[in-house]
Amino acid sequence: MSTAAPRPTGQDRLWSVDEHLEDILATVRPLEPIELQLPDAQGCVLVDDVTVPVSLPPFDNSSMDGYAVRVADVAGASEEFPAALEVVGDVAAGQAADLLYVGPGQTARIMTGAPLPNGAEAVVPVEWTDGGLGEGPVSAMRARSLAPEQATGHVRVYRPAGARAHVRAKGSDVKAGDRALEAGTVLGPPQIALLAAIGRGTVRVHPRPRVVVMSTGSELVQPGEELSAGQIYDSNSFALTAAARDAGAIAYRVGAVTDDAETLRSTIEDQLVRADLLVTTGGVSVGAYDVVKEALSYVGDEDEAGSGIDFRKLAMQPGKPQGFGSIGPDHIPLLALPGNPVSSYVSFELFVRPAIRTLMGLKNVHRPTTRARLTADKALTSPKGRRQFLRATHSDGTVRPVGGAGSHLVAALAHADALIVVPEDVESVEPGTDVEVVLLG
């Protein structure tokens, strides 16, 4: 058996943001399609075009409670000279109208959604009639007749109606053979409604990816517990789990793992059974207790080239230390993000979110970007050779930074809805300059 070439390590070079993202997206593939019941398909991406099997609505039906009439019978009708018509029956929603015929001088009571009976050409709302009571215009329909043969008598109509008035035409929504939804559509409530309306009980989709998020660090304490000296609350796992759900994933949060390589390896192995993507935060830098790097640097599958985790330094700020690769017998993708709150969140937006959207089967996996005019009290500075991402607020074609450049400043992140992008070759940006902006939603 030939020996696989060793995976090239990224520790001896500085990688660009684009190179790292390209490597991630070249490895991640959409999840295999599955057939799901409609309630379970919400948030999933449609694999195939869906064609309408039956027109919607499938028959001409009334959009009002009223009377089905012939146009000629109500032409010229007014309150002074109403049209008097013989009522020959009732048509309710869900009832077939094939046996009912509206002839000259006749009408049938009809309810909203009921099929238009043969011979009828329009519907007059009940408010345009006396409701069969002979006492002038009414505001509502009388109680439904007990049986069609009891729905007799006469009704006066006080206004004319044109052809097809208050009639929903067969196929006026979609026609049989039309394309209802395109492949690649994310199924939200309106799309689920359309699928149900055309009779689809199941649909073939890429499932929502299962993303497991875990933070590392012996200093981390769960919110709600008491802090001891040297401890901080774990915010990263909460932020990234929420971000994964926002991206469309089914996300699971794992409590913070202590700085012990064996414990981390064991925890990751336990989570593989429910993961399509693993995300860790913390422990990827050059410190003595950077447990993720220690635990995963030599993890790989000797039978397949390219497996294992590659740790890199990226030409970006924040988020310089990064890790990416696969783990376990099924080669589950793993992205290792830095531990500072802003670094981890920016890294998620740049690398993890596109990976999740790719797993979902989406074509457009990135946040939208735009150009905006910088408003700031002074020029922005950026380290040479690094692509900087600054938290900001965006409005009406302008963008303003919030907070400083420190990667620990999580309070400012809570007020940001955009990231200002400062290219690698720019060290200073003056107020009034047009800058690239990543919109965070």
PDB file of all heavy atoms in Angstrom, residues 279-306:
ATOM      1  N   VAL A 279     -17.303  22.945  15.405  1.00  0.00           N
ATOM      2  CA  VAL A 279     -16.678  24.262  15.554  1.00  0.00           C
ATOM      3  C   VAL A 279     -16.154  24.364  16.980  1.00  0.00           C
ATOM      4  O   VAL A 279     -16.911  24.207  17.945  1.00  0.00           O
ATOM      5  CB  VAL A 279     -17.677  25.404  15.282  1.00  0.00           C
ATOM      6  CG1 VAL A 279     -16.990  26.759  15.454  1.00  0.00           C
ATOM      7  CG2 VAL A 279     -18.269  25.285  13.881  1.00  0.00           C
ATOM      8  N   THR A 280     -14.853  24.629  17.114  1.00  0.00           N
ATOM      9  CA  THR A 280     -14.270  24.885  18.429  1.00  0.00           C
ATOM     10  C   THR A 280     -13.816  26.336  18.475  1.00  0.00           C
ATOM     11  O   THR A 280     -13.526  26.952  17.448  1.00  0.00           O
ATOM     12  CB  THR A 280     -13.071  23.962  18.717  1.00  0.00           C
ATOM     13  OG1 THR A 280     -11.984  24.286  17.827  1.00  0.00           O
ATOM     14  CG2 THR A 280     -13.457  22.500  18.542  1.00  0.00           C
ATOM     15  N   THR A 281     -13.747  26.861  19.678  1.00  0.00           N
ATOM     16  CA  THR A 281     -13.258  28.228  19.844  1.00  0.00           C
ATOM     17  C   THR A 281     -12.297  28.267  21.026  1.00  0.00           C
ATOM     18  O   THR A 281     -12.588  27.727  22.099  1.00  0.00           O
ATOM     19  CB  THR A 281     -14.419  29.225  20.045  1.00  0.00           C
ATOM     20  OG1 THR A 281     -13.901  30.510  20.393  1.00  0.00           O
ATOM     21  CG2 THR A 281     -15.375  28.779  21.110  1.00  0.00           C
ATOM     22  N   GLY A 282     -11.129  28.862  20.786  1.00  0.00           N
ATOM     23  CA  GLY A 282     -10.087  28.927  21.808  1.00  0.00           C
ATOM     24  C   GLY A 282      -9.034  27.858  21.591  1.00  0.00           C
ATOM     25  O   GLY A 282      -9.269  26.844  20.925  1.00  0.00           O
ATOM     26  N   GLY A 283      -7.848  28.116  22.143  1.00  0.00           N
ATOM     27  CA  GLY A 283      -6.805  27.101  22.146  1.00  0.00           C
ATOM     28  C   GLY A 283      -6.115  26.848  20.826  1.00  0.00           C
ATOM     29  O   GLY A 283      -5.628  25.752  20.581  1.00  0.00           O
ATOM     30  N   VAL A 284      -6.067  27.872  19.936  1.00  0.00           N
ATOM     31  CA  VAL A 284      -5.435  27.648  18.634  1.00  0.00           C
ATOM     32  C   VAL A 284      -4.223  28.547  18.401  1.00  0.00           C
ATOM     33  O   VAL A 284      -3.655  28.559  17.313  1.00  0.00           O
ATOM     34  CB  VAL A 284      -6.448  27.861  17.476  1.00  0.00           C
ATOM     35  CG1 VAL A 284      -7.548  26.835  17.541  1.00  0.00           C
ATOM     36  CG2 VAL A 284      -7.026  29.274  17.494  1.00  0.00           C
ATOM     37  N   SER A 285      -3.809  29.297  19.436  1.00  0.00           N
ATOM     38  CA  SER A 285      -2.696  30.219  19.263  1.00  0.00           C
ATOM     39  C   SER A 285      -1.375  29.536  19.623  1.00  0.00           C
ATOM     40  O   SER A 285      -1.220  28.344  19.387  1.00  0.00           O
ATOM     41  CB  SER A 285      -2.941  31.477  20.114  1.00  0.00           C
ATOM     42  OG  SER A 285      -2.027  32.482  19.790  1.00  0.00           O
ATOM     43  N   VAL A 286      -0.472  30.280  20.217  1.00  0.00           N
ATOM     44  CA  VAL A 286       0.857  29.725  20.496  1.00  0.00           C
ATOM     45  C   VAL A 286       1.142  29.644  21.987  1.00  0.00           C
ATOM     46  O   VAL A 286       2.281  29.494  22.402  1.00  0.00           O
ATOM     47  CB  VAL A 286       1.953  30.575  19.799  1.00  0.00           C
ATOM     48  CG1 VAL A 286       1.838  30.444  18.307  1.00  0.00           C
ATOM     49  CG2 VAL A 286       1.867  32.045  20.227  1.00  0.00           C
ATOM     50  N   GLY A 287       0.102  29.740  22.816  1.00  0.00           N
ATOM     51  CA  GLY A 287       0.294  29.668  24.261  1.00  0.00           C
ATOM     52  C   GLY A 287       0.604  28.269  24.726  1.00  0.00           C
ATOM     53  O   GLY A 287       0.379  27.278  24.034  1.00  0.00           O
ATOM     54  N   ALA A 288       1.067  28.172  25.961  1.00  0.00           N
ATOM     55  CA  ALA A 288       1.427  26.876  26.528  1.00  0.00           C
ATOM     56  C   ALA A 288       0.206  26.006  26.807  1.00  0.00           C
ATOM     57  O   ALA A 288       0.318  24.793  26.934  1.00  0.00           O
ATOM     58  CB  ALA A 288       2.219  27.084  27.827  1.00  0.00           C
ATOM     59  N   TYR A 289      -0.986  26.634  26.903  1.00  0.00           N
ATOM     60  CA  TYR A 289      -2.200  25.883  27.210  1.00  0.00           C
ATOM     61  C   TYR A 289      -3.198  25.922  26.053  1.00  0.00           C
ATOM     62  O   TYR A 289      -4.400  25.839  26.262  1.00  0.00           O
ATOM     63  CB  TYR A 289      -2.859  26.455  28.475  1.00  0.00           C
ATOM     64  CG  TYR A 289      -2.003  26.288  29.714  1.00  0.00           C
ATOM     65  CD1 TYR A 289      -1.173  27.323  30.150  1.00  0.00           C
ATOM     66  CD2 TYR A 289      -2.011  25.097  30.435  1.00  0.00           C
ATOM     67  CE1 TYR A 289      -0.378  27.178  31.273  1.00  0.00           C
ATOM     68  CE2 TYR A 289      -1.226  24.934  31.564  1.00  0.00           C
ATOM     69  CZ  TYR A 289      -0.401  25.975  31.975  1.00  0.00           C
ATOM     70  OH  TYR A 289       0.386  25.826  33.089  1.00  0.00           O
ATOM     71  N   ASP A 290      -2.715  26.048  24.849  1.00  0.00           N
ATOM     72  CA  ASP A 290      -3.600  26.064  23.689  1.00  0.00           C
ATOM     73  C   ASP A 290      -3.975  24.629  23.344  1.00  0.00           C
ATOM     74  O   ASP A 290      -3.367  23.969  22.499  1.00  0.00           O
ATOM     75  CB  ASP A 290      -2.935  26.784  22.511  1.00  0.00           C
ATOM     76  CG  ASP A 290      -2.922  28.289  22.729  1.00  0.00           C
ATOM     77  OD1 ASP A 290      -3.892  28.801  23.321  1.00  0.00           O
ATOM     78  OD2 ASP A 290      -1.958  28.949  22.315  1.00  0.00           O
ATOM     79  N   VAL A 291      -5.028  24.168  24.020  1.00  0.00           N
ATOM     80  CA  VAL A 291      -5.363  22.756  24.069  1.00  0.00           C
ATOM     81  C   VAL A 291      -5.867  22.213  22.738  1.00  0.00           C
ATOM     82  O   VAL A 291      -5.621  21.050  22.406  1.00  0.00           O
ATOM     83  CB  VAL A 291      -6.400  22.498  25.192  1.00  0.00           C
ATOM     84  CG1 VAL A 291      -7.712  23.212  24.882  1.00  0.00           C
ATOM     85  CG2 VAL A 291      -6.634  21.021  25.395  1.00  0.00           C
ATOM     86  N   VAL A 292      -6.582  23.014  21.952  1.00  0.00           N
ATOM     87  CA  VAL A 292      -7.101  22.516  20.674  1.00  0.00           C
ATOM     88  C   VAL A 292      -5.952  22.144  19.753  1.00  0.00           C
ATOM     89  O   VAL A 292      -5.954  21.084  19.116  1.00  0.00           O
ATOM     90  CB  VAL A 292      -8.021  23.559  20.008  1.00  0.00           C
ATOM     91  CG1 VAL A 292      -8.454  23.090  18.625  1.00  0.00           C
ATOM     92  CG2 VAL A 292      -9.241  23.827  20.887  1.00  0.00           C
ATOM     93  N   LYS A 293      -4.980  23.017  19.699  1.00  0.00           N
ATOM     94  CA  LYS A 293      -3.816  22.757  18.856  1.00  0.00           C
ATOM     95  C   LYS A 293      -3.076  21.507  19.329  1.00  0.00           C
ATOM     96  O   LYS A 293      -2.669  20.656  18.527  1.00  0.00           O
ATOM     97  CB  LYS A 293      -2.893  23.976  18.891  1.00  0.00           C
ATOM     98  CG  LYS A 293      -2.000  24.135  17.687  1.00  0.00           C
ATOM     99  CD  LYS A 293      -1.390  25.523  17.716  1.00  0.00           C
ATOM    100  CE  LYS A 293      -0.549  25.761  16.485  1.00  0.00           C
ATOM    101  NZ  LYS A 293       0.038  27.115  16.476  1.00  0.00           N
ATOM    102  N   GLU A 294      -2.940  21.393  20.640  1.00  0.00           N
ATOM    103  CA  GLU A 294      -2.240  20.231  21.198  1.00  0.00           C
ATOM    104  C   GLU A 294      -3.005  18.946  20.931  1.00  0.00           C
ATOM    105  O   GLU A 294      -2.439  17.916  20.568  1.00  0.00           O
ATOM    106  CB  GLU A 294      -2.059  20.416  22.710  1.00  0.00           C
ATOM    107  CG  GLU A 294      -1.393  19.227  23.395  1.00  0.00           C
ATOM    108  CD  GLU A 294      -1.356  19.371  24.910  1.00  0.00           C
ATOM    109  OE1 GLU A 294      -1.712  20.464  25.411  1.00  0.00           O
ATOM    110  OE2 GLU A 294      -0.992  18.393  25.585  1.00  0.00           O
ATOM    111  N   ALA A 295      -4.323  18.992  21.075  1.00  0.00           N
ATOM    112  CA  ALA A 295      -5.128  17.786  20.959  1.00  0.00           C
ATOM    113  C   ALA A 295      -5.305  17.326  19.524  1.00  0.00           C
ATOM    114  O   ALA A 295      -5.407  16.125  19.265  1.00  0.00           O
ATOM    115  CB  ALA A 295      -6.500  18.027  21.592  1.00  0.00           C
ATOM    116  N   LEU A 296      -5.337  18.258  18.572  1.00  0.00           N
ATOM    117  CA  LEU A 296      -5.745  17.915  17.213  1.00  0.00           C
ATOM    118  C   LEU A 296      -4.659  18.038  16.157  1.00  0.00           C
ATOM    119  O   LEU A 296      -4.884  17.668  15.005  1.00  0.00           O
ATOM    120  CB  LEU A 296      -6.939  18.784  16.803  1.00  0.00           C
ATOM    121  CG  LEU A 296      -8.186  18.680  17.689  1.00  0.00           C
ATOM    122  CD1 LEU A 296      -9.284  19.577  17.158  1.00  0.00           C
ATOM    123  CD2 LEU A 296      -8.670  17.244  17.798  1.00  0.00           C
ATOM    124  N   SER A 297      -3.505  18.519  16.502  1.00  0.00           N
ATOM    125  CA  SER A 297      -2.457  18.713  15.490  1.00  0.00           C
ATOM    126  C   SER A 297      -2.072  17.411  14.809  1.00  0.00           C
ATOM    127  O   SER A 297      -1.699  17.396  13.633  1.00  0.00           O
ATOM    128  CB  SER A 297      -1.211  19.337  16.124  1.00  0.00           C
ATOM    129  OG  SER A 297      -1.431  20.693  16.424  1.00  0.00           O
ATOM    130  N   TYR A 298      -2.157  16.295  15.518  1.00  0.00           N
ATOM    131  CA  TYR A 298      -1.696  15.026  14.949  1.00  0.00           C
ATOM    132  C   TYR A 298      -2.853  14.056  14.720  1.00  0.00           C
ATOM    133  O   TYR A 298      -2.634  12.866  14.517  1.00  0.00           O
ATOM    134  CB  TYR A 298      -0.650  14.402  15.869  1.00  0.00           C
ATOM    135  CG  TYR A 298       0.504  15.328  16.112  1.00  0.00           C
ATOM    136  CD1 TYR A 298       0.613  16.016  17.315  1.00  0.00           C
ATOM    137  CD2 TYR A 298       1.454  15.559  15.117  1.00  0.00           C
ATOM    138  CE1 TYR A 298       1.659  16.900  17.533  1.00  0.00           C
ATOM    139  CE2 TYR A 298       2.502  16.437  15.332  1.00  0.00           C
ATOM    140  CZ  TYR A 298       2.599  17.107  16.543  1.00  0.00           C
ATOM    141  OH  TYR A 298       3.629  17.977  16.750  1.00  0.00           O
ATOM    142  N   VAL A 299      -4.075  14.581  14.765  1.00  0.00           N
ATOM    143  CA  VAL A 299      -5.235  13.736  14.512  1.00  0.00           C
ATOM    144  C   VAL A 299      -5.433  13.605  13.019  1.00  0.00           C
ATOM    145  O   VAL A 299      -5.448  14.592  12.297  1.00  0.00           O
ATOM    146  CB  VAL A 299      -6.509  14.325  15.152  1.00  0.00           C
ATOM    147  CG1 VAL A 299      -7.752  13.548  14.690  1.00  0.00           C
ATOM    148  CG2 VAL A 299      -6.398  14.271  16.662  1.00  0.00           C
ATOM    149  N   GLY A 300      -5.581  12.405  12.536  1.00  0.00           N
ATOM    150  CA  GLY A 300      -5.799  12.209  11.107  1.00  0.00           C
ATOM    151  C   GLY A 300      -6.165  10.772  10.817  1.00  0.00           C
ATOM    152  O   GLY A 300      -6.225   9.931  11.712  1.00  0.00           O
ATOM    153  N   ASP A 301      -6.409  10.496   9.564  1.00  0.00           N
ATOM    154  CA  ASP A 301      -6.738   9.142   9.123  1.00  0.00           C
ATOM    155  C   ASP A 301      -5.621   8.694   8.192  1.00  0.00           C
ATOM    156  O   ASP A 301      -5.474   9.215   7.088  1.00  0.00           O
ATOM    157  CB  ASP A 301      -8.082   9.143   8.387  1.00  0.00           C
ATOM    158  CG  ASP A 301      -8.540   7.733   8.040  1.00  0.00           C
ATOM    159  OD1 ASP A 301      -7.686   6.839   7.988  1.00  0.00           O
ATOM    160  OD2 ASP A 301      -9.754   7.545   7.819  1.00  0.00           O
ATOM    161  N   GLU A 302      -4.855   7.716   8.617  1.00  0.00           N
ATOM    162  CA  GLU A 302      -3.683   7.302   7.843  1.00  0.00           C
ATOM    163  C   GLU A 302      -4.061   6.682   6.504  1.00  0.00           C
ATOM    164  O   GLU A 302      -3.240   6.573   5.606  1.00  0.00           O
ATOM    165  CB  GLU A 302      -2.852   6.319   8.660  1.00  0.00           C
ATOM    166  CG  GLU A 302      -3.599   5.033   8.996  1.00  0.00           C
ATOM    167  CD  GLU A 302      -2.778   4.094   9.856  1.00  0.00           C
ATOM    168  OE1 GLU A 302      -1.726   4.526  10.364  1.00  0.00           O
ATOM    169  OE2 GLU A 302      -3.179   2.939  10.012  1.00  0.00           O
ATOM    170  N   ASP A 303      -5.337   6.292   6.363  1.00  0.00           N
ATOM    171  CA  ASP A 303      -5.766   5.651   5.118  1.00  0.00           C
ATOM    172  C   ASP A 303      -6.236   6.645   4.063  1.00  0.00           C
ATOM    173  O   ASP A 303      -6.540   6.250   2.943  1.00  0.00           O
ATOM    174  CB  ASP A 303      -6.896   4.651   5.394  1.00  0.00           C
ATOM    175  CG  ASP A 303      -6.408   3.498   6.270  1.00  0.00           C
ATOM    176  OD1 ASP A 303      -5.235   3.128   6.115  1.00  0.00           O
ATOM    177  OD2 ASP A 303      -7.196   3.005   7.086  1.00  0.00           O
ATOM    178  N   GLU A 304      -6.353   7.912   4.408  1.00  0.00           N
ATOM    179  CA  GLU A 304      -6.841   8.880   3.434  1.00  0.00           C
ATOM    180  C   GLU A 304      -6.024  10.163   3.517  1.00  0.00           C
ATOM    181  O   GLU A 304      -5.924  10.795   4.573  1.00  0.00           O
ATOM    182  CB  GLU A 304      -8.322   9.193   3.657  1.00  0.00           C
ATOM    183  CG  GLU A 304      -8.854  10.185   2.623  1.00  0.00           C
ATOM    184  CD  GLU A 304     -10.366  10.234   2.616  1.00  0.00           C
ATOM    185  OE1 GLU A 304     -10.981   9.248   3.035  1.00  0.00           O
ATOM    186  OE2 GLU A 304     -10.908  11.260   2.199  1.00  0.00           O
ATOM    187  N   ALA A 305      -5.458  10.532   2.368  1.00  0.00           N
ATOM    188  CA  ALA A 305      -4.667  11.761   2.322  1.00  0.00           C
ATOM    189  C   ALA A 305      -5.559  12.967   2.552  1.00  0.00           C
ATOM    190  O   ALA A 305      -6.711  12.995   2.135  1.00  0.00           O
ATOM    191  CB  ALA A 305      -3.988  11.880   0.964  1.00  0.00           C
ATOM    192  N   GLY A 306      -5.018  13.964   3.220  1.00  0.00           N
ATOM    193  CA  GLY A 306      -5.737  15.211   3.399  1.00  0.00           C
ATOM    194  C   GLY A 306      -6.568  15.283   4.658  1.00  0.00           C
ATOM    195  O   GLY A 306      -7.190  16.303   4.914  1.00  0.00           O
TER     196      GLY A 306
END
